[in-house]
């Protein structure tokens, strides 16, 4: 749609290719744990990206997105647990094969999104926000009450990460590459999607639902399909997250996680391509390094209670920094299209 | 022959009867103007016809078929198309994209996920034709929000036309336009006349009386008179109820 | 039978709680158009104020009395500093800003009072049970909560439907511009309303103090349940909030009490227990799903308002 967007896409591709080399850079810095931090960032960026499809493109503010991340995460965890225990789940054996459990996680998340979306999408606006939140909470309690799978405490992946032929996910670098590639593919897929006829309908939906109906397009099925796609991609990110942490718990579905994902999208720049990624990077880096920073400069109170700073920071960003980091980074390059930001 | 038949239509908003026992018939091929003071219920009627509002009681027949159960999003495909009094376009899309989206919806469902929509040159050139028809071909790449008010009204019209209506419901298409632009729209209406049946709501009496085949007068949600422009001009009831405040234009 | 009545009373009491918090939430949304996630934090403030007041004075009553100004003051401050900026913003901004507010308030509470939950004990006079039916002993305190809550609901009803302020509030829900045009100071009205909502939530927190543990994050769980209540009842309507809250209170309490044992009759034992536990914790949300299928606008929506 815009010239600058093409530029942005090429920039992303370039930076993405450079990032393949990041593990060696971390080695060179002698900080190998950074590889693990970076994997986490890409996994969350993927979740934020999928949420952006709803919030940024279709204009649907879902406040329960962590539910689909959590469902995907639990699918991988539960399959691994049955494999370890050598028991069956509904007559099916467990598995540690990534080629089975990761796509299966996406499918289950997609189906859950279909069910919940079918109900939530009967409403709009504030109702939609509250109901997506409520259903996410329902799934949270559902997993809490699953005593068999650890209840509150969650599940460990006793046999380690999933197996994928040709990869050794047990090694942090390979986990990193898998996460990066997943994010890259998802971004590419969503970009194509956004430019397709389907994408045009979603963009139109955000701008003017009344008119969309008047030209003969029923919004509901399009929103539902978008909801399912977003759910499945969130499920993918959940599947990767379980692998990365070798652990899953109801905490993955906690409602504040949904809030975190929304923040990443807004912080980075709603409805943009690099936005959710930038948002995830900055959010998780702040989370990780803000306490250290306060420690460094001697503000010990804040180093333990960094959220005291983070909360108001958030409010400030919402109230005063429209367009998020994306607007900050790409402002100069936008030219004529700059006006789109508002 | 009646293309659209409205019988005893009622619609209340709380205590207010916005549409009150309204009956009206629109014949195939005619340009039927609907006039009436502010708040008479003209827009409400259009919304009832387009399906964005449901009537409390009454009947709407299109092509002799009961239309009440037909969902809002199906009606445009059957040829019943509305435009909006308050401009309602997709502001972030360019003028061309606005019309392309309409054409895309004309062609059936949009569950196409992979091919890039803007590379569909056939659709684009068709869209350009409609923009040209309303005189907006030079502005095709400008995002709708950046268009001047009159140009947005033109785009509104192009989007309605792109749906290839059999019956076009025009809700004050010239509202807020300059005199020159209005003139262009009147010319366009004259061109379309006979090809498309139209229900035209308009406050500009000169325009109404010069293009309409028949005129209906709506007051308090009820049609008080229907007839040719000259009949309406001479109708006493209409004069006292409505036209009294206006200057009655002399036929030219 | 005795057990059933006891659980019904428990459900009623829980419902009354939910109503006290929901009432403010639904009014604030209905009239100001603001969705305030931090409303649960006001509930938390009420509970903490009671706990602290009790530690200082040793009297539960003083604690209870302290909760009101504390919650009102917090509410006033929050409205002044944050909510006021959000009236004309879209819902997404409101959600995020008030989410940030929750993070802040929770952290502040942790700094002041630590992470360990506080427990309140009731004064002797209140911690007795009374025999309300032959063979049915019920805690006096819970009965008092039910009574107070219903009384408050009644006063709220009077306030909304029989006073000038209430009339303006109701008018403001549907015809905001009109009320503004009449020269009514909506800013003042909004602040007043917000403080009223804060008072109710704070009072609910104070009452809840002795029944549950007072801890950081207690507000959010209640908040999400309240969302369910007002969605079921119909957004912006006090009657709807009352109805939704009582319904949710009942369903949740009865579900927890009887679902598992009921399932045992038809399913194998351990299976019934795990399904029962899962179902009872999800029951209110399933109820919400049902309402959404049949009445997406809620059961008692505000009349004359287009969603
Ligand atoms: N959704 C609604 N809810 C309540 N009242 C409405 C609604 N829509 C319209 N009305 C009322 O119904 C009456 C008719 O409105 P309508 O918009 O149909 O008039 P109109 O003839 O199109 O007027 P105008 O010439 O100003 O466009 C008005 O009094 C209006 O206030
Ligand atoms: Mg009108």
């Amino acid at each position: 749609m815009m010239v600058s967007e093409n530029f942005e896409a090429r920039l992303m591709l370039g930076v993405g290719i450079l990032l393949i080399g990041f593990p060696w850079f971390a080695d060179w810095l002698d900080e190998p744990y950074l590889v693990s931090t970076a994997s986490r960032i890409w996994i969350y960026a993927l979740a934020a990206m999928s949420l952006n499809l709803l919030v940024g493109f279709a204009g649907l503010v879902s406040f329960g997105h962590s539910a689909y991340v959590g469902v995907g995460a639990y699918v991988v965890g539960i399959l691994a647990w049955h494999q370890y225990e050598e028991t069956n789940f509904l007559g099916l054996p467990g598995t540690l094969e990534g080629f089975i459990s990761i796509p299966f996680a996406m499918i289950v998340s997609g189906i859950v999104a279909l069910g919940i979306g079918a109900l939530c999408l009967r409403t709009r606006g504030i109702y939609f926000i509250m109901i997506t939140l409520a259903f996410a909470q329902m799934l949270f309690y559902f997993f809490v009450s699953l005593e068999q799978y650890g209840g509150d405490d969650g599940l460990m992946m006793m046999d380690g990460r999933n197996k994928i032929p040709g990869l050794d996910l047990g090694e942090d670098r390979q986990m990193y590459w898998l996460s990066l590639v997943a994010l890259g593919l998802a971004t590419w897929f969503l970009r194509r999607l956004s430019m397709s006829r389907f994408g045009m309908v979603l963009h139109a939906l955000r701008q003017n639902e009344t008119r969309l109906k008047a030209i003969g397009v029923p919004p509901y099925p399009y929103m539902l399909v978008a909801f399912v796609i977003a759910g499945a991609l969130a499920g993918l990110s959940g599947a990767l997250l379980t692998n990365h942490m070798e652990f899953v718990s109801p905490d993955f579905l906690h409602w504040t996680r949904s809030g975190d994902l929304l923040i990443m999208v807004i912080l980075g720049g709603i409805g943009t391509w690099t936005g959710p990624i930038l948002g995830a990077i900055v959010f998780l880096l702040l989370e990780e390094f803000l306490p250290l920073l306060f420690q460094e400069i001697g503000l010990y109170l804040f180093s333990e209670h960094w959220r005291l700073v983070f909360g108001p920071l958030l409010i400030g960003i919402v109230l005063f920094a429209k367009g998020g980091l994306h607007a900050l980074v790409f402002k100069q390059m936008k030219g004529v299209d700059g006006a789109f930001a508002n | 022959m009646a293309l659209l038949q409205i019988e005893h239509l009622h619609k209340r908003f709380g205590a207010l009867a916005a549409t009150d026992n309204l009956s009206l018939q629109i014949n195939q091929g005619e340009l039927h103007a609907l006039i009436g003071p502010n708040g008479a219920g003209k827009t409400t009627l259009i919304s009832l016809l387009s399906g964005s509002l449901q009537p409390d009681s009454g009947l709407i027949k299109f092509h002799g078929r009961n239309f009440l159960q037909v969902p809002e999003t199906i009606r445009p495909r059957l040829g019943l198309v509305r435009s909006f009094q308050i401009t309602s376009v997709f502001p972030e899309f360019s003028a061309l994209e606005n019309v392309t989206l309409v054409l895309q919806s004309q062609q059936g469902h949009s569950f196409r996920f992979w091919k890039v929509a803007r590379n569909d040159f056939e659709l684009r050139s068709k869209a350009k034709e409609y923009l040209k028809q309303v005189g907006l071909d030079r502005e095709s790449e400008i995002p709708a929000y950046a268009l001047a008010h009159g140009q947005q009204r033109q785009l509104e019209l192009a989007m309605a036309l792109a749906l290839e209506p059999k019956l076009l419901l025009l809700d004050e298409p010239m509202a807020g336009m300059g005199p020159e632009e209005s003139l262009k729209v009147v010319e366009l209406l004259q061109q379309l006349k006979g090809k498309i049946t139209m229900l035209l709501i308009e406050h500009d009496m000169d325009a109404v009386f010069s293009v309409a085949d028949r005129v209906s007068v709506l007051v308090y949600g009820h049609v008080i008179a229907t007839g040719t422009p000259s009949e309406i001009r001479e109708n006493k009831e209409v004069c006292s109820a409505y036209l009294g405040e206006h200057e009655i234009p002399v036929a030219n | 039978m005795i057990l059933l009545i006891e659980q019904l009373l428990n459900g009623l009491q829980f419902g009354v709680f939910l109503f006290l918090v929901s009432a403010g939430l639904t009014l604030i949304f209905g009239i100001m158009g603001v969705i305030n996630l931090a409303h649960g934090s006001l509930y938390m403030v009420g509970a903490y104020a009671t706990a602290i007041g009790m530690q200082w004075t040793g009297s539960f009553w003083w604690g209870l009395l302290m909760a009101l100004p504390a919650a009102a003051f917090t509410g006033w401050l929050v409205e002044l500093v944050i909510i006021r900026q959000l009236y004309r913003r879209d819902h997404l901004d409101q959600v995020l800003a008030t989410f940030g507010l929750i993070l802040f308030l929770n952290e502040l509470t942790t700094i002041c009072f630590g992470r360990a939950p506080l427990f309140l004990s009731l004064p002797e006079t209140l911690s007795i049970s009374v025999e309300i039916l032959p063979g049915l002993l019920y805690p006096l305190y819970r009965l008092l909560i039910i009574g107070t809550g219903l009384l408050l609901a009644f006063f709220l009803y009077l306030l909304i439907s029989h006073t000038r302020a209430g009339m303006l509030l109701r008018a403001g829900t549907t015809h905001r511009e009109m009320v503004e045009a009449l020269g009514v100071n909506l800013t003042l009205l909004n602040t007043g309303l917000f403080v009223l909502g804060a008072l109710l939530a704070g009072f609910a927190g104070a009452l809840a103090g002795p029944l549950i543990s007072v801890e950081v994050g207690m507000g959010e769980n209640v908040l999400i349940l309240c969302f369910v209540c007002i969605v079921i009842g119909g957004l912006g309507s006090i009657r709807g909030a009352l109805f939704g809250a009582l319904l949710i209170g009942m369903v949740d309490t009865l579900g927890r009490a009887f679902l598992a044992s009921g399932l045992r009759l038809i399913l194998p034992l351990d299976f019934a227990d795990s399904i029962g536990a899962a179902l009872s914790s999800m029951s209110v949300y399933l109820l919400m799903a049902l309402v959404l299928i049949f009445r997406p606008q809620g059961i008692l929506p505000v009349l004359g308002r287009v969603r």
Side-chain angles (χ1 to χ4, degrees):
Chain A
M1 240 170 286
M2 311 169 216
V3 185
S4 58
E5 221 180 55
N6 266 328
F7 173 78
E8 193 184 328
R10 261 177 271 144
L11 190 73
M12 271 170 87
L13 189 64
V15 173
I17 290 171
L18 279 182
L19 281 171
I20 295 176
F22 180 77
W24 292 292
F25 180 67
D27 272 356
W28 180 73
L29 285 179
D30 211 17
E31 308 266 16
Y33 77 95
L34 280 180
V35 174
S36 171
T37 306
S39 311
R40 212 165 95 85
I41 291 178
W42 304 142
I43 293 170
Y44 272 102
L46 172 56
M49 185 73 92
S50 70
L51 178 59
N52 190 39
L53 172 68
L54 297 179
V55 185
F57 294 174
L60 297 166
V61 181
S62 163
F63 201 164
H65 210 57
S66 68
Y68 314 104
V69 177
V71 168
Y74 260 100
V75 167
V76 168
I78 288 175
L79 286 176
W81 184 79
H82 280 291
Q83 159 90 3
Y84 175 74
E85 297 268 309
E86 296 181 353
T87 50
N88 283 355
F89 174 70
L90 299 178
L92 294 168
T95 178
L96 209 58
E97 293 298 331
F99 268 123
I100 300 173
S101 54
I102 294 177
F104 193 56
M106 293 178 71
I107 292 171
V108 175
S109 282
I111 291 173
V112 172
L114 179 69
I116 293 181
L119 289 172
C120 295
L121 288 169
R122 294 166 64 88
T123 64
R124 291 287 180 285
I126 203 128
Y127 270 86
F128 186 78
I129 297 176
M130 298 200 291
I131 290 165
T132 45
L133 174 59
F135 277 121
Q137 191 76 354
M138 173 180 92
L139 286 175
F140 172 78
Y141 283 121
F142 173 72
F143 284 110
V144 167
S145 68
L146 287 183
E147 288 300 333
Q148 192 188 2
Y149 302 119
D152 257 334
D153 302 324
L155 277 178
M156 299 279 283
M157 285 182 89
M158 305 301 275
D159 286 331
R161 293 173 179 160
N162 277 159
K163 294 196 179 64
I164 293 178
L167 279 181
D168 175 15
L169 288 190
E171 211 209 323
D172 275 348
R173 292 171 170 220
Q174 311 229 3
M175 189 65 223
Y176 171 90
W177 285 320
L178 180 66
S179 314
L180 185 64
V181 168
L183 174 63
L185 286 179
T187 309
W188 181 56
F189 167 73
L190 286 176
R191 211 179 132 73
R192 283 301 291 239
L193 191 76
S194 135
M195 293 189 290
S196 70
R197 286 191 170 197
F198 178 76
M200 292 301 279
V201 170
L202 289 191
H203 286 294
L205 186 62
R206 175 188 72 239
Q207 297 172 49
N208 190 343
E209 189 176 337
T210 313
R211 186 66 198 226
L212 194 63
K213 284 193 215 150
I215 62 173
V217 182
Y220 186 81
Y222 296 93
M223 294 191 290
L224 192 54
V225 170
F227 207 83
V228 171
I229 292 174
L233 285 176
L236 172 61
S237 114
L240 293 173
L241 195 61
T242 306
N243 270 301
H244 173 66
M245 317 250 298
E246 297 182 39
F247 167 70
V248 54
S249 81
D251 201 42
F252 284 32
L253 294 89
H254 198 260
W255 73 279
T256 50
R257 296 288 184 106
S258 297
D260 291 348
L261 288 177
L262 263 183
I263 292 169
M264 290 176 197
V265 172
I266 309 301
L267 177 68
I270 182 170
T272 64
W273 288 107
T274 35
I277 303 177
L278 285 177
I281 295 175
V282 171
F283 182 97
L284 293 172
L285 288 183
L286 276 181
E287 191 179 79
E288 187 135 346
F289 294 110
L290 206 58
L292 295 180
L293 181 76
F294 283 126
Q295 183 107 41
E296 205 64 21
I297 58 178
L299 290 168
Y300 297 110
L301 179 73
F302 287 152
S303 98
E304 192 191 337
H305 301 287
W306 57 276
R307 280 198 187 81
L308 202 62
V309 180
F310 194 64
L313 195 67
L314 203 71
I315 299 174
I317 288 166
V318 168
L319 292 184
F320 305 114
K322 273 275 154 198
L325 295 164
H326 182 274
L328 223 61
V329 176
F330 290 95
K331 203 176 214 162
Q332 285 80 5
M333 297 184 252
K334 273 206 139 185
V336 190
D337 304 322
F340 269 88
N342 43 49
Chain B
M1 198 197 81
L3 177 63
L4 181 81
Q5 233 169 328
I6 306 165
E7 286 167 20
H8 308 296
L9 208 60
H10 287 268
K11 176 73 189 176
R12 303 187 76 89
F13 295 115
L16 177 87
T19 306
D20 188 13
N21 196 18
L22 189 155
S23 298
L24 184 66
Q25 181 171 324
I26 296 174
N27 294 331
Q28 182 83 48
E30 74 173 337
L31 197 167
H32 197 121
L34 184 68
I35 60 176
N38 289 102
K42 304 181 294 289
T43 302
T44 304
L45 176 64
I46 296 231
S47 300
L48 289 169
L49 293 177
S50 73
S52 48
L53 287 177
Q54 283 297 319
D56 301 329
S57 64
L59 201 63
I60 297 172
K61 274 187 177 167
F62 186 60
H63 277 302
R65 174 181 163 191
N66 183 356
F67 231 49
L68 282 183
Q69 303 308 322
V70 179
E72 181 183 5
T73 51
I74 303 294
R75 293 185 195 195
R77 294 189 199 173
L78 299 178
L80 189 83
V81 173
R82 76 174 291 185
S83 75
F84 289 82
Q85 179 176 5
I86 298 166
T87 306
S88 179
V89 295
F90 302 106
E92 293 169 35
F93 282 168
S94 68
L96 189 65
E97 280 169 333
N98 268 284
V99 183
T100 320
L101 184 74
V102 175
L103 292 173
Q104 167 186 329
S105 77
Q106 266 292 81
Q107 293 186 349
H109 71 80
S110 296
F111 288 107
R112 315 250 169 96
F113 300 98
W114 201 246
K115 272 220 315 246
V116 177
R118 74 180 324 244
N119 290 349
D120 193 334
F121 294 103
E122 209 187 304
L123 218 57
R124 283 166 71 90
S125 65
K126 219 171 141 193
K128 281 216 174 92
E129 305 251 301
Y130 285 107
L131 286 178
K132 198 166 174 184
Q133 200 175 1
V134 299
L136 210 56
D137 42 337
R138 266 176 302 160
E139 285 80 10
S140 67
E141 294 300 333
I142 299 180
Y145 73 84
L147 291 173
H149 177 80
Q151 293 173 329
Q152 291 187 357
R153 300 297 302 159
Q154 286 166 312
L155 177 58
E156 177 82 42
L157 204 56
M159 290 167 73
L161 288 174
L163 283 165
E164 297 186 354
K166 299 202 175 70
L167 172 59
L168 182 55
L169 312 170
L170 291 166
D171 200 350
E172 302 194 24
M174 293 167 248
M177 275 189 173
E180 233 168 88
E181 290 165 320
S182 302
L183 211 63
K184 266 196 258 171
V185 174
V186 173
E187 266 169 37
L188 179 63
L189 292 181
Q190 228 119 29
Q191 271 174 37
L192 295 172
K193 212 169 130 175
K195 294 178 203 138
I196 303 175
T197 313
M198 283 179 272
L199 178 66
L200 171 69
I201 292 175
E202 189 49 63
H203 278 303
D204 181 345
M205 289 303 143
D206 292 319
V208 167
F209 282 89
S210 68
V211 296
D213 297 315
R214 289 201 298 157
V215 179
S216 288
V217 184
L218 192 69
V219 178
Y220 293 125
H222 187 75
V223 174
I224 59 165
T226 298
T228 62
S230 50
E231 283 167 10
I232 289 297
R233 213 178 287 121
E234 275 140 31
N235 188 316
K236 288 262 160 51
E237 202 183 343
V238 174
C239 285
S240 62
Y242 174 55
L243 288 181
E245 336 159 358
H246 293 259
E247 266 184 40
I248 302 174
V250 184
N252 40 343
Chain C
M1 192 60 208
I2 294 288
L3 192 63
L4 181 66
I5 294 177
E6 191 176 346
Q7 293 298 349
L8 280 175
L9 283 172
N10 282 347
L12 187 62
Q13 178 246 308
F14 188 37
V16 161
F17 263 130
L18 290 176
F19 170 71
L20 289 180
V21 185
S22 307
L25 206 59
T26 201
L27 279 180
I28 289 164
F29 175 73
I31 287 149
M32 310 191 201
V34 173
I35 175 171
N36 176 22
L37 294 185
H39 197 70
S41 302
L42 299 167
Y43 170 83
M44 178 180 74
V45 167
Y48 266 95
T50 314
I52 302 308
M54 222 176 129
Q55 277 175 11
W56 283 353
T57 61
S59 149
F60 173 71
W61 299 110
W62 281 111
L64 201 62
L65 217 59
M66 270 183 61
L68 298 179
F73 177 73
T74 316
W76 173 75
L77 205 62
V78 164
E79 202 273 342
L80 190 72
V81 179
I82 313 232
I83 304 293
R84 199 169 281 187
Q85 327 295 325
L86 297 173
Y87 289 148
R88 307 230 175 269
R89 298 280 189 142
D90 62 22
H91 296 322
L92 182 57
D93 286 354
Q94 298 172 352
V95 162
L96 286 174
T98 51
F99 182 69
L101 190 60
I102 292 185
L103 295 184
F104 175 76
L105 287 176
N106 279 352
E107 210 57 38
L108 194 65
T109 314
T110 313
I111 292 177
C112 297
F113 308 111
R115 279 186 218 287
L118 307 177
F119 294 95
L120 301 187
S121 52
L122 280 173
E124 293 280 312
T125 44
L126 282 183
S127 50
I128 52 169
S129 294
V130 288
E131 188 166 19
I132 47 173
L133 280 176
L136 175 60
L137 279 174
Y138 199 75
L140 176 64
Y141 184 62
R142 286 175 185 263
L143 281 178
L144 278 180
I145 290 179
I146 295 174
T148 325
L150 291 179
L151 208 65
L152 274 175
F154 180 67
F155 275 126
L156 216 54
Y157 164 76
L158 283 186
L159 180 75
I160 300 287
S161 57
H162 286 88
T163 65
R164 182 179 150 75
M167 190 195 74
L168 289 174
L169 283 181
R170 273 181 298 138
T173 342
T174 43
H175 303 285
R176 190 191 172 94
E177 289 77 17
M178 196 86 89
V179 174
E180 242 162 4
L182 285 175
V184 174
N185 186 345
L186 265 190
T187 315
L188 194 67
L189 204 64
N190 282 343
T191 311
L193 180 71
F194 200 88
V195 170
L196 177 69
L199 270 175
L200 289 172
F203 187 60
L207 288 180
L211 297 178
I212 56 174
S213 57
V214 176
E215 60 190 331
V216 172
M218 64 189 282
E220 282 90 81
N221 293 329
V222 170
L223 177 86
I224 296 175
L225 270 185
C226 287
F227 279 166
V228 177
C229 296
I230 61 182
V231 164
I232 286 182
L235 214 50
S237 132
I238 280 282
R239 279 187 319 147
L242 181 61
F243 179 80
L246 293 181
L247 190 64
I248 291 297
M250 288 293 176
V251 168
D252 190 64
T253 310
L254 297 183
R256 277 175 211 286
F258 299 118
L259 208 58
S261 50
L263 283 175
R264 273 188 212 176
L265 300 177
I266 46 171
L267 291 171
L269 202 72
D270 57 338
F271 196 51
D273 281 353
S274 59
I275 295 271
L279 271 185
S280 61
S281 60
M282 298 187 346
S283 56
V284 296
Y285 305 101
L286 297 176
L287 180 68
M288 180 178 79
L290 281 181
V291 171
L292 280 178
I293 291 172
F294 295 108
R295 276 186 79 95
Q297 73 279 37
I299 293 176
L300 300 171
V302 179
L303 293 177
R305 185 232 274 271
V306 188
R307 191 184 75 228

